[in-house]
Amino acid sequence: MKPIPTPGGMIPPHEASGQLHFAFAVSKEHLAAWEKHLIARGIAIESKVSWPLGGQSIYFRDPDNHLVELATPGIWEVY
């Protein structure tokens, strides 16, 4: 797979076999603290996306190289 460009940033490549993608919901107020927490522990932020409805996502890899997303409300109309 290839990265997926969006107006707000790049979604890193992921697929359903081998490397997987999963997301955790977080509040907008806590996203910066989570980013700081991850960086302080040596976890690289692979990408950040600002979504058209106002949501934000940060992406990083877990030890098995799965793509992990922390997503705030405003990603989709229903979240």
Side-chain angles (χ1 to χ4, degrees):
M1 285 193 101
K2 295 183 179 188
I4 303 166
T6 72
M10 188 70 64
I11 299 173
H14 60 282
E15 56 186 57
S17 64
Q19 295 178 356
L20 302 175
H21 165 255
F22 58 96
F24 293 102
V26 298
S27 69
K28 254 184 197 175
E29 295 78 24
H30 291 119
L31 187 63
W34 273 109
E35 184 176 0
K36 185 177 178 179
H37 176 82
L38 294 166
I39 291 168
R41 281 149 184 82
I43 299 169
I45 303 302
E46 191 168 324
S47 184
K48 293 165 62 170
V49 175
S50 296
W51 296 96
L53 295 176
Q56 297 179 324
S57 296
I58 58 174
Y59 295 89
F60 57 96
R61 300 283 173 172
D62 75 2
D64 290 324
N65 210 32
H66 300 298
L67 183 63
V68 183
E69 177 183 4
L70 299 182
T72 70
I75 302 297
W76 308 288
E77 289 183 22
V78 295
Y79 176 71

